[in-house]
């Protein structure tokens, strides 16, 4: 079946611009996660959606970052006024029911801020 | 917060050789996940371990969980070039929190 998909695969933007990254989770998965992977930093948790519960935003690095999940499916991560330090690969994952369920990852969006 | 330390950071082995990668947690493990990542791609799920002493295998890759030591090891037997990539361990320290990941082990397999 279809896995997690993300778009765009690559995004180059100028400092100060806003960007939107999209994630389509596996159909039926109630939990959706966003992570960021920077060179030499490993994977960093950003935000977690589980069903209709309020999202866990504890990993968002600043108020320039926000995310929403419409209809319990597709999610959009928005970065406002991008900075060079936002350059990274943004990975989305989904799992059947959250908790300790296995997370399945998308291919990521590579963001470059010039 | 929980931290995961992976060792070694990088590894170069000759094709056909065995190797082991370790992942040690600073806190109690509720679930330990191994993923593989190739450059420019997402993470591919390999195995999940939950119980102390649990051991799972997939093809030539075996993972074990030592709950007392809060440690997991990933062992590859008779390595192949297809095994090359970055191996990441991830862990949950409670039932409903996002995973914390190690920084990864970069494996190169040379012919």
């Amino acid at each position: 079946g279809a896995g997690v998909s993300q778009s765009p695969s690559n995004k180059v933007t100028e400092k100060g611009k806003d960007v939107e990254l999209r994630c389509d989770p596996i159909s039926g998965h109630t939990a959706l996660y966003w992570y960021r992977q920077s060179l030499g930093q490993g994977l960093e948790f950003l935000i977690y959606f589980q069903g209709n519960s309020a999202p866990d935003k504890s990993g968002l690095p600043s108020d320039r970052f926000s995310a929403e999940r419409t209809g319990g499916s597709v999610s959009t991560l928005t970065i406002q006024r991008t900075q060079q330090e936002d350059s990274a690969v943004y990975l989305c994952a989904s799992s059947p029911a959250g908790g300790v369920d296995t997370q399945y990852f998308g291919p990521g969006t590579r963001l470059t801020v010039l | 917060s929980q931290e995961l330390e992976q060792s070694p950071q990088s590894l170069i082995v000759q094709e056909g050789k065995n190797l082991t990668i370790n992942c040690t947690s600073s806190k109690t493990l509720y679930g330990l996940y191994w993923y593989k990542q190739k450059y420019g791609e997402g993470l591919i799920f390999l195995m999940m371990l939950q119980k102390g002493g649990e051991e799972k295998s997939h093809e030539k890759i075996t993972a074990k969980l030592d709950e007392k030591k809060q440690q997991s090891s990933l062992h590859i037997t008779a390595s192949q070039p297809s095994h090359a990539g970055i191996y990441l361990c991830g862990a949950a320290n409670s039932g409903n929190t996002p995973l914390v990941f190690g920084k990864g082990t970069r494996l190169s397999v040379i012919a």
Side-chain angles (χ1 to χ4, degrees):
Chain A
V4 178
S5 62
Q6 292 186 244
S7 61
S9 54
N10 279 287
K11 177 74 178 177
V12 180
T13 191
E14 292 180 348
K15 179 181 170 181
K17 301 283 189 185
D18 297 352
V19 295
E20 283 189 353
L21 312 179
R22 177 187 167 107
C23 172
D24 279 90
I26 293 172
S27 177
H29 281 195
T30 63
L32 187 148
Y33 307 78
W34 282 99
Y35 294 88
R36 178 168 72 173
Q37 188 176 34
S38 307
L39 202 60
Q41 294 297 316
L43 249 69
E44 174 189 12
F45 161 72
L46 297 176
I47 188 168
Y48 163 41
F49 296 90
Q50 170 52 40
N52 295 322
S53 303
D56 177 352
K57 303 180 183 179
S58 59
L60 294 178
S62 78
D63 58 9
R64 296 186 295 105
F65 288 72
S66 63
E68 61 177 24
R69 188 177 185 194
T70 53
S73 182
V74 171
S75 177
T76 302
L77 177 70
T78 301
I79 309 173
Q80 295 178 308
R81 304 181 302 282
T82 51
Q83 303 294 312
Q84 287 184 332
E85 61 262 27
D86 299 335
S87 296
V89 176
Y90 289 81
L91 289 159
C92 173
S94 70
S95 74
V100 293
D101 274 0
T102 297
Q103 295 178 29
Y104 297 91
F105 283 78
T109 293
R110 182 175 297 275
L111 174 66
T112 304
V113 182
L114 302 176
Chain B
S1 61
Q2 184 174 36
E3 291 186 357
L4 294 178
E5 186 169 330
Q6 285 187 240
S7 62
Q9 290 183 2
S10 64
L11 194 53
I12 302 173
V13 299
Q14 199 161 20
E15 184 176 354
K17 296 293 186 185
N18 302 337
L19 64 107
T20 300
I21 298 169
N22 291 305
C23 174
T24 304
S25 172
S26 61
K27 291 190 174 182
T28 302
L29 291 165
Y30 281 80
L32 192 290
Y33 305 76
W34 283 100
Y35 289 86
K36 179 185 173 185
Q37 185 178 32
K38 292 202 166 182
Y39 179 76
E41 298 179 16
L43 277 65
I44 299 167
F45 171 70
L46 297 176
M47 277 171 275
M48 175 198 172
L49 305 165
Q50 269 195 294
K51 301 172 187 173
E54 190 172 14
E55 179 175 324
K56 287 186 178 176
S57 292
H58 175 67
E59 297 178 344
K60 291 184 179 179
I61 301 176
T62 301
K64 299 179 187 179
L65 180 63
D66 185 330
E67 208 168 37
K68 282 185 180 177
K69 291 184 181 177
Q70 297 174 175
Q71 184 178 73
S72 177
S73 60
L74 185 84
H75 184 77
I76 299 177
T77 304
S79 57
Q80 300 294 313
S82 60
H83 288 129
I86 299 172
Y87 289 82
L88 289 147
C89 63
N93 61 6
S94 72
N96 200 33
T97 54
L99 295 184
V100 170
F101 285 88
K103 292 193 175 180
T105 295
R106 183 180 296 273
L107 172 63
S108 301
V109 181
I110 54 176

